[in-house]
């Protein structure tokens, strides 16, 4: 083939964007992958393995696997810390990017982690979640303002830190675009009665994922001990008419029950209760999985409204007993809010840039020519469904640019 | 590494089994990649039922596509050969033809069965199935002024596909004059696009839902009643419906089981053709060259079936390419002189890569290089590329003395899980024993008992077998084989008076760097403790 290879622009480096980029590259298309944050992988790169004595098919390991493939694929060129400022369409797409300063020089950094060790408590240096993130560390400009700049610049034995690095601009020409900008996790402070952000032992499902990934087990934020009693509250921010969030997030029953069982598996003495409206079927063998859940966990069909502080960082929940209808009070060591998926915070802007529509909930809808959607940008989805949609988006993009019919 | 890449020629025609929407869409997508396609339907037509006109449109396109041959009333009666060269017998009535295909796409459908037994109900004019109701609504046969009650979620756990049908019917019902609708439901399964909104909308239109744990009591006769304990009002509630609608289970196609055998692919325990294993996402089967679209692999919606079609075409392209298949260097090879045709390998290969012709033969186009056959062959007749027995023994030998004063720990790591977890532990600065030597294996099923015993003989203080979690092994049972072998080795260690805890067999995911660190440090600690 003598034709110049076609080029695709993929916006967003979560599992959907990674998968789309990978599939396009497999069809000999050059890919420009643009990610806003300093790390590839999106939300799900921070998730933990939820296996007990066997894999429970949560899909978290698939994200690491895909990321490893993408970073070693020469056809995919990654730009981190980049935002699309403008898009011109005249037959082709020309995207103008604003690229954040690269304070850590990827060429020089060998991921030794000295900077992180020294500055992790200040927040000035942050670490990615996967070994396949290169560099594995990034400087957070805001937090870096509060630390001794000379000390921060000097901490790196390789001289890779340059705090004078400047923001740059970049132009990318592409024949087609895949938008995979993902979701925004529900902000749990919008349900203030749960005391998220006020009480340390109230955490979100997202935080629990990262906690297990990093520590290998569940511990209470305040005393770092395994909690004896944990409560999960489902549907936080989803299926909530008062918030106007009239959708099921499709993932929180899955991750909630899987992590609840993981806690119980690591510590059979622990007690775990799940407060819910409806439990959603997840995965191929859900009936068997759910039967095990019912044996190991407590289930209460009631979403508690108020959380009261108790001694030693504990919390008391009040709820109506399912059988008697009477008020019940119960004290927990750790409260996990199963937060859901809400439309990406950039959706309005992304829609404008790439001529997309938004549905009544704010998720993106395809409209323009040559722009395809993948993953949670288009609505709630789990990892496998995001991958399937990304593959489909790639195959549609290939048709659009004439690689296939 | 072999310097010369070996290329074999393969066929590039593609067979698509199943004339439903996913099958028609897959045929179009695969043809779009430039391959010739034969699309078979066991019925006298391919997908026609109109869903927003989209289906009829697809079918018309497929019929007009010169690269697609449609064969109706046709079944794949037999499949022989190997990926890249499947010899398929297609039967149309009594006529049979043989055709050669490089790849096969399976796109079978779903079936339904009504769950009246769960409610102790007999079907009749007043007790109808979900399908019967749908037909009544479509034909405008439901009279005005009726009270309709749905029973759903007590005969089965349920899923969004089941719920979607109920909600769609409710939407249609609310358009029939003076209808009252009640839904008796266990859990409302709404985890699909738009269902929560449909649910809320029906409620606004006056549909009443009772969510209970107990199965509703239904009495039939001239006056039917349904009674439950209302969990909100905390009292018995009775409804007198004119029509009771009984839920249906949606199940895998009955043909799947019969197809799985000649295709040599592993089905799941619900009769779908994709095992419950994340490595096969989205459309792979256990065998190379065979791909799954839509409901052949899982309970999927119409839209998901169309998505699968696109994914199938990508996979077919990756496998068939231009018909010149490059054989990976790490495929297994049988030594003819050693093979006694015991067929152990044929039985244990998880990827349908082995056949026999007076000796075992491994199809290069099908082997996924797991090495399970090499470890299971009782005659050591099989070797696997870079992971041949002598290379593995050499790797252990090379590690001798590398530990210095620290305990020497030989860790056989599956490259998909344990090895990645170790790399993660190191990248994140988690503690890893100084004397740990990692040896990569393509799958834990490749860890011979001999390798482990040899490591101990060479002087290893501890040995680790690090596998994927059960159910996450890319080659299905590799992790299980490793754990069985570990049990055997522990018995052998005990027999020679060696502490069994010197051998650790553990499962990890690639993201479990922390746990890798903990397990390996714990082994080092116990070795040191015993030594002091
Ligand atoms: C708490 C929680 C736990 C979950 N656990 C599981 C689980 O165990 N299993 C499972 O299958 N699913 C789980 N999910 C769902 C899972 O998170 C999603 O399916 C998955 O992350 C979707 O991937 P994505 O690529 O669409 O989006 P994201 O993960 O959100 O990735 C989007 C990426 O795009 C980038 N981006 C955003 N805007 C822009 C822009 N304007 N320009 C450039 N880049 C941009 C973001 O920085 C991000 O990297 C969970 C969800 C939640 C909320
Ligand atoms: S539980 Fe999740 S992360 Fe762990 S092995 Fe299974 S799919 Fe992978
Ligand atoms: S998945 Fe479960 S927790 Fe999440 S919104 Fe749906 S019902 Fe609620
Ligand atoms: S297991 Fe070994 S001896 Fe038996 S058939 Fe296979 S190669 Fe031959
Ligand atoms: S290496 Fe694995 S896939 Fe290949 S023939 Fe042996 S058992 Fe089958």
């Amino acid at each position: 083939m003598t034709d110049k290879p076609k080029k695709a622009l993929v916006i967003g480096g979560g599992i959907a964007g990674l998968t789309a980029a990978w599939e396009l590259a497999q069809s000999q298309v050059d890919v420009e992958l643009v990610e806003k944050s300093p790390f590839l992988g999106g939300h799900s790169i921070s998730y933990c393995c939820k296996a007990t004595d066997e894999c429970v098919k949560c899909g978290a390991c698939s994200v690491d696997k895909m990321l490893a493939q993408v970073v070693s694929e020469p056809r995919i060129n990654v730009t981190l810390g980049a935002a699309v400022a403008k898009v011109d369409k005249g037959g082709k797409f020309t995207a103008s990017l604003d690229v954040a300063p690269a304070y850590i020089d990827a060429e020089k950094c060998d991921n030794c982690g000295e900077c992180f060790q020294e500055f992790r408590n200040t927040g000035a240096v942050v670490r990615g979640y996967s070994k396949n993130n290169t560099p594995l560390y990034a400087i957070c400009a805001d937090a870096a303002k509060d630390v001794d700049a000379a000390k921060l610049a000097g901490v790196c034995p390789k001289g890779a830190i340059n705090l004078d690095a400047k923001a740059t601009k970049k132009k990318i020409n592409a024949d087609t675009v895949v938008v995979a900008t993902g979701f925004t996790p529900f902000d749990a402070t919008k349900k203030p009665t749960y005391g998220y952000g006020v009480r340390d032992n109230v955490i979100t499902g997202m935080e629990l994922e990262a906690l297990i990934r990093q520590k290998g087990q569940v511990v209470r934020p305040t005393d770092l001990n395994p909690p004896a009693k944990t409560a999960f509250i489902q549907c936080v921010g989803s299926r909530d008419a008062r918030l106007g969030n009239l959708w099921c997030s499709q993932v929180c029953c899955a991750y909630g029950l899987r992590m609840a069982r993981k806690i119980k598996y690591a510590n059979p003495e622990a007690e775990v209760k799940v407060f819910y409206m409806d439990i959603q079927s997840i995965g191929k063998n859900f009936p068997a999985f759910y039967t095990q859940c019912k044996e190991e966990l407590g289930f209460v069909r009631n979403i508690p409204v108020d959380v009261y502080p108790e001694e030693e960082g504990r919390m008391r929940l009040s709820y109506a007993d399912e059988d008697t209808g009477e008020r019940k009070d119960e004290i927990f060591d750790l409260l996990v809010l199963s937060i859901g998926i809400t439309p990406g915070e950039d959706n309005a802007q992304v829609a404008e840039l790439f001529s997309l529509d938004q549905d009544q909930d704010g998720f993106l809808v395809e409209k323009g020519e040559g722009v395809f959607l993948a993953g949670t940008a288009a609505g709630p989805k789990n990892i496998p469904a995001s991958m399937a949609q990304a593959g489909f988006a790639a195959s549609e993009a290939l048709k659009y640019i004439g690689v296939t019919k | 590494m072999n310097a010369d890449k070996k290329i074999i020629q393969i066929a590039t025609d593609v067979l698509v089994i199943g004339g439903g929407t996913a099958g028609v869409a897959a045929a179009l997508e695969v043809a779009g990649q430039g391959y010739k396609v034969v699309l078979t339907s066991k019925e006298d037509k391919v997908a026609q039922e109109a869903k927003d006109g989209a289906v009829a449109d697809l079918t018309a396109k497929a019929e007009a596509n010169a690269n697609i041959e449609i064969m109706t009333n046709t079944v794949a009666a037999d499949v022989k050969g190997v990926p890249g060269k499947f010899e398929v017998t297609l039967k149309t009535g009594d006529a049979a033809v043989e055709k050669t295909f490089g790849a096969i796409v399976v796109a079978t459908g779903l079936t339904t069965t009504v769950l009246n037994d769960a409610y102790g109900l007999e079907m009749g004019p007043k007790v109808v199935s979900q399908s019967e109701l749908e037909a009544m609504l479509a034909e405008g046969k439901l009279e005005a002024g009726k009270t309709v009650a749905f029973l759903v979620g007590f005969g089965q756990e349920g899923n969004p596909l089941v719920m979607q049908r109920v909600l769609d019917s409710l939407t249609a019902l609310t358009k029939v004059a003076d209808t009252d609708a009640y839904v008796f439901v266990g859990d409302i399964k709404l985890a699909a696009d738009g269902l929560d909104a449909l649910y809320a909308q029906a409620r606004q239109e006056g549909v009443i839902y009772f969510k209970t744990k107990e199965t509703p009591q239904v009495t039939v006769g001239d006056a039917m009643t349904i009674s439950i304990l209302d969990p909100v009002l905390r009292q018995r509630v009775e409804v007198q419906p004119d029509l009771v609608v009984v839920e249906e289970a949606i199940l895998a196609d009955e043909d799947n089981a019969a197809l799985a055998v000649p295709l040599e692919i592993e089905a799941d325990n619900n009769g779908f053709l994709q095992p419950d294993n994340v490595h096969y996402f989205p459309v792979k089967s256990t065998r190379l060259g065979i791909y799954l679209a839509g409901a052949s692999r899982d309970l999927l919606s119409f839209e998901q079936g169309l998505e699968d079609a696109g994914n199938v075409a990508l996979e077919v392209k990756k496998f068939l390419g231009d018909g010149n298949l490059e054989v990976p260097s790490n495929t297994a090879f049988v030594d003819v002189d050693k093979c006694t045709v015991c067929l152990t390998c044929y039985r244990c290969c998880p990827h349908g890569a082995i056949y026999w012709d007076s000796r075992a033969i491994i199809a290069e186009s099908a082997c996924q290089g797991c090495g399970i056959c090499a470890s299971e062959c009782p005659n050591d007749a099989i070797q696997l590329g870079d992971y041949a027995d002598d290379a593995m023994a050499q790797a252990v030998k090379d590690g001798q003395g590398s530990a210095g004063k620290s305990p020497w720990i030989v860790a056989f790591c599956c490259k998909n899980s344990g090895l990645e977890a170790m790399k993660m532990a190191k990248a994140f600065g988690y503690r890893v024993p100084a004397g740990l030597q990692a040896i990569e294996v393509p799958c834990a099923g490749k860890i011979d008992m001999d390798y482990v015993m040899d490591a101990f003989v060479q002087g290893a203080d501890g040995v680790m077998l690090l596998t994927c979690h059960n159910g996450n092994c890319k080659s299905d049972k590799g992790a299980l084989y490793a754990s069985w072998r570990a049990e055997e080795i522990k018995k052998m260690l005990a027999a020679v008076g060696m502490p069994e805890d010197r051998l650790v067999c553990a499962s990890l995911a690639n993201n479990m760097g922390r746990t890798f660190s903990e397990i390996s440090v714990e082994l080092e600690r116990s070795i040191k403790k015993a030594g002091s």
Side-chain angles (χ1 to χ4, degrees):
Chain A
M1 217 166 51
T2 48
D3 288 359
K4 203 165 153 265
K6 299 274 184 181
K7 200 181 229 179
L9 171 62
V10 177
I11 312 288
I15 184 60
L18 293 173
T19 308
W22 168 253
E23 292 297 352
L24 286 162
Q26 298 319 292
S27 285
Q28 280 71 53
V29 171
D30 287 338
V31 180
E32 290 283 349
L33 176 57
V34 174
E35 164 59 45
K36 179 166 86 164
S37 81
F39 304 110
L40 285 179
H43 289 103
S44 50
I45 198 64
S46 69
Y47 299 166
C48 64
C49 172
K50 302 168 192 71
T52 51
D53 59 338
E54 59 180 8
C55 165
V56 296
K57 337 289 173 185
C58 76
C61 57
S62 306
V63 185
D64 275 88
K65 182 176 153 192
M66 184 56 79
L67 179 55
Q69 288 177 346
V70 166
V71 294
S72 55
E73 169 57 60
R75 281 188 189 276
I76 303 175
N77 183 44
V78 178
T79 311
L80 295 172
V84 180
K86 201 168 136 248
V87 182
D88 292 317
K89 184 164 185 231
K92 280 190 169 203
F93 297 88
T94 306
S96 311
L97 307 186
D98 290 334
V99 187
Y103 297 115
I104 296 182
D105 184 339
E107 301 287 308
K108 291 187 187 158
C109 168
D110 71 350
N111 287 340
C112 70
E114 298 271 342
C115 54
F116 183 67
Q117 286 310 326
E118 202 61 35
F119 285 92
R120 66 190 302 173
N121 295 329
T122 65
V125 180
V126 291
R127 181 168 67 184
Y129 285 93
S130 170
K131 67 174 169 54
N132 301 312
N133 287 128
T134 45
L136 182 51
Y137 304 92
I139 306 255
C140 167
D142 280 344
K145 286 191 194 114
D146 302 330
V147 304
D148 181 339
K151 214 175 140 211
L152 176 54
V155 72
C156 175
K158 299 282 174 322
I161 298 181
N162 172 14
L163 296 173
D164 299 324
K166 293 279 172 294
T168 53
K169 293 200 182 294
K170 185 170 170 180
K171 261 200 171 51
I172 291 175
N173 291 315
D175 302 287
T176 182
V177 181
V178 175
V179 171
T181 45
F183 68 98
T184 298
F186 176 72
D187 172 6
T189 61
K190 289 188 184 149
K191 301 285 282 179
T193 57
Y194 292 143
Y196 177 74
V198 180
R199 289 188 251 292
D200 291 337
N201 292 328
V202 180
I203 64 173
T204 65
M206 187 74 83
E207 288 162 330
L208 185 60
E209 290 267 15
L211 186 76
I212 301 179
R213 183 177 175 113
Q214 290 168 325
K215 301 237 185 289
Q217 57 166 338
V218 178
V219 291
R220 281 212 320 174
T222 49
D223 56 13
L224 302 180
N225 286 326
K229 273 188 85 167
T230 303
F232 283 77
I233 300 184
Q234 297 305 109
C235 295
V236 176
S238 317
R239 306 185 60 194
D240 188 326
R242 230 177 299 169
L243 291 166
N245 293 359
L246 274 184
W247 61 84
C248 165
S249 287
Q250 305 183 24
V251 297
C252 12
C253 281
Y255 77 68
L257 293 189
R258 284 166 176 162
M259 290 198 286
R261 276 197 70 213
K262 175 119 184 157
I263 294 175
K264 189 80 185 167
Y265 180 73
N267 178 11
E269 304 292 298
E271 220 184 293
V272 186
K273 267 209 169 116
V274 180
F275 294 86
Y276 74 103
M277 283 197 261
D278 298 286
I279 295 293
Q280 299 305 319
S281 300
I282 33 159
K284 287 191 146 193
N285 286 314
F286 183 70
F289 176 81
Y290 194 25
T291 304
Q292 276 170 315
C293 287
K294 285 184 200 154
E295 276 167 22
E296 296 166 10
L297 316 171
F299 282 92
V300 181
R301 192 176 222 162
N302 189 297
I303 303 283
V305 178
D306 290 307
V307 175
Y308 308 96
E310 291 283 330
E311 283 172 9
E312 295 178 7
R314 295 201 176 88
M315 288 131 315
R316 180 162 51 86
L317 294 186
S318 300
Y319 60 92
D321 184 86
E322 219 175 329
D323 296 321
T324 64
E326 276 157 25
R327 172 180 164 143
K328 241 184 159 171
D329 282 275
E330 206 169 338
I331 295 176
F332 293 92
D333 301 300
L334 180 70
L335 179 59
V336 181
L337 305 178
S338 292
I339 56 165
I341 285 177
T342 69
E345 58 198 6
D346 297 351
N347 278 7
Q349 189 203 351
V350 173
E352 170 84 37
L353 282 169
F354 293 100
S355 320
L356 294 159
D357 277 336
Q358 285 180 273
D359 67 14
Q360 79 262 20
D361 300 323
F363 294 102
L364 297 172
V365 180
E366 282 174 10
K367 180 177 80 178
E369 288 250 305
V371 182
F372 305 93
L373 283 171
T376 48
K381 249 173 233 76
N382 60 12
I383 292 165
S386 297
M387 293 173 78
Q389 200 191 17
F392 181 64
S395 82
E396 292 292 292
L398 290 171
K399 275 190 238 171
Y400 177 76
I401 59 181
V403 172
T404 60
K405 270 189 240 143
Chain B
M1 280 281 166
N2 301 352
D4 308 308
K5 299 236 154 99
K6 187 170 172 196
I7 305 278
I8 53 174
Q9 252 83 52
I10 56 172
T12 58
D13 286 5
V14 179
L15 170 65
V16 178
I17 301 173
T21 50
V24 176
L28 277 167
E29 297 279 358
V30 172
Q33 293 276 14
Y35 301 112
K36 284 207 155 50
V37 178
V38 172
L39 169 63
T40 63
S41 168
K42 64 177 174 180
E43 283 160 35
D44 58 4
K45 55 182 194 286
V46 294
Q48 300 286 347
E49 76 265 41
K51 173 134 187 170
D52 312 328
V55 176
D57 205 35
L58 274 180
T59 302
K61 271 197 211 156
E63 282 164 351
N65 192 310
N67 280 330
I68 301 177
E69 179 189 350
I70 300 177
M71 296 176 73
T72 51
N73 294 315
T74 300
V75 293
D78 198 18
V79 183
K80 292 217 159 56
V82 298
K85 200 168 183 246
F86 291 112
E87 312 285 357
V88 184
T89 310
L90 295 173
K91 265 201 175 145
T92 311
D94 290 334
V97 284
E98 277 224 2
K99 287 186 188 262
T100 304
F101 298 100
I104 298 176
V105 178
V106 186
T108 46
L110 294 166
T111 62
T112 57
T113 172
V114 63
L115 300 175
N116 51 318
D117 285 349
Y119 301 87
L121 286 173
E122 284 210 15
M123 306 305 290
K126 290 178 168 183
V127 180
V128 300
S129 69
Q130 175 64 36
S131 297
E132 286 165 333
L133 175 76
E134 283 162 10
M136 286 168 78
L137 286 166
E139 291 159 20
K141 285 203 180 131
L142 187 78
E143 291 163 34
K146 299 288 183 201
T147 299
V148 182
F150 291 78
L151 302 171
V152 55
F154 303 98
Q156 61 180 334
E157 185 51 44
N159 55 64
L161 288 191
V162 168
M163 204 61 215
Q164 170 108 43
R165 296 178 73 192
V166 173
L167 292 170
D168 285 345
S169 294
L170 287 169
T171 308
L173 266 180
T174 51
K175 300 204 174 87
V176 180
D178 301 323
T179 306
D180 287 326
Y182 295 88
V183 183
F184 297 87
V185 54
D187 278 322
I188 307 192
K189 306 289 182 180
L190 297 164
D193 292 348
L195 292 200
D196 195 58
L198 268 184
Y199 162 62
Q201 186 195 331
R203 221 165 34 176
Q204 256 176 10
E205 308 250 351
V207 174
I208 294 174
Y209 295 87
F210 292 108
K211 283 204 243 175
T212 73
K213 278 188 186 162
E214 60 166 339
T215 305
Q217 300 297 311
V218 189
T219 43
V220 283
D222 288 338
M224 295 194 287
T225 58
I226 300 180
S227 123
I228 52 135
L229 186 69
D230 183 335
V232 183
L233 303 173
R234 323 218 62 74
Q235 61 188 35
R236 281 246 147 233
V237 173
E238 282 199 355
V239 170
Q240 266 99 35
D242 303 305
L243 188 68
V244 173
V245 183
V246 185
E247 66 179 314
E248 285 175 340
I250 305 180
L251 304 168
D253 199 316
E254 291 124 356
D255 292 349
N256 286 358
L259 270 172
V261 178
L263 290 173
E264 295 188 48
I265 56 177
E266 207 62 51
D268 71 7
N269 43 19
N270 301 315
F272 293 102
L273 293 173
Q274 189 176 52
D276 191 11
N277 183 320
V278 297
H279 291 288
Y280 298 110
F281 284 147
V283 295
K284 290 188 194 124
S285 74
T286 46
R287 206 167 182 212
L288 289 175
I290 299 179
Y291 306 99
L292 308 163
S296 63
R297 67 176 182 96
D298 201 355
L299 266 183
L300 297 179
S301 67
F302 169 81
E303 290 79 9
Q304 289 168 309
L306 296 185
E307 272 183 18
D308 276 8
N311 281 290
V312 155
L314 295 176
E315 293 300 333
V316 166
K317 177 74 197 287
K318 278 186 252 179
F319 182 67
L320 296 181
D322 61 359
N324 292 303
L325 183 81
E326 187 185 314
V327 177
S329 58
N330 285 318
T331 51
F333 187 77
V334 181
D335 180 339
V336 205
D337 296 335
K338 289 186 178 169
C339 171
T340 58
V341 205
C342 69
L343 299 187
T344 303
C345 57
Y346 171 75
R347 279 188 293 269
C348 71
C349 173
H351 303 299
I354 304 183
Y355 59 102
W356 70 92
D357 181 6
S358 77
R359 64 178 176 101
I361 302 171
I362 293 172
E364 292 167 312
S365 61
C367 174
Q368 302 189 27
C370 66
I372 291 176
C373 57
S375 288
E376 287 295 303
C377 171
N379 302 308
D380 282 340
I382 306 180
Q383 295 295 338
L384 182 71
D386 298 342
Y387 306 99
D389 291 338
D390 50 357
M392 299 298 288
Q394 190 58 45
V396 173
K397 223 176 240 138
D398 290 347
Q400 229 174 11
S402 64
K405 288 208 176 76
S406 310
W408 179 28
I409 298 174
V410 177
F412 293 99
C413 299
C414 165
K415 71 171 183 201
N416 300 308
S417 52
L419 194 73
E420 292 290 295
M422 180 198 71
K423 289 184 190 161
M424 175 179 176
K426 288 190 171 165
F428 281 69
Y430 302 153
R431 212 163 92 62
V432 172
L436 183 135
Q437 180 202 357
I439 298 183
E440 174 184 317
V441 287
C443 166
K446 178 71 178 76
I447 310 171
D448 271 28
M449 306 227 309
D450 290 350
Y451 303 166
V452 178
M453 294 316 287
D454 180 49
F456 281 121
V457 171
Q458 302 284 336
D461 299 297
V463 175
M464 297 204 288
L465 311 189
L466 296 173
T467 76
C468 299
H469 294 304
N470 268 332
N472 186 257
C473 173
K474 198 163 163 266
S475 297
D476 189 27
K477 290 198 177 57
L480 265 183
Y481 281 116
S483 64
W484 292 337
R485 289 177 202 149
E487 290 305 310
E488 290 305 310
I489 297 166
K490 284 194 172 178
K491 282 184 213 152
M492 285 147 81
L493 291 180
V496 298
M498 187 125 169
E500 320 180 351
D501 63 1
R502 293 302 174 89
L503 177 69
V504 172
C505 179
S507 67
L508 294 170
N510 59 12
N511 53 25
M512 289 176 71
R514 177 66 78 180
T515 311
F516 179 96
S517 161
E518 282 164 3
I519 294 173
S520 56
V521 168
E522 174 57 29
L523 175 59
E524 183 189 48
R525 199 192 56 79
S526 83
I527 294 169
K528 279 188 176 159
K529 199 168 137 216
S532 63

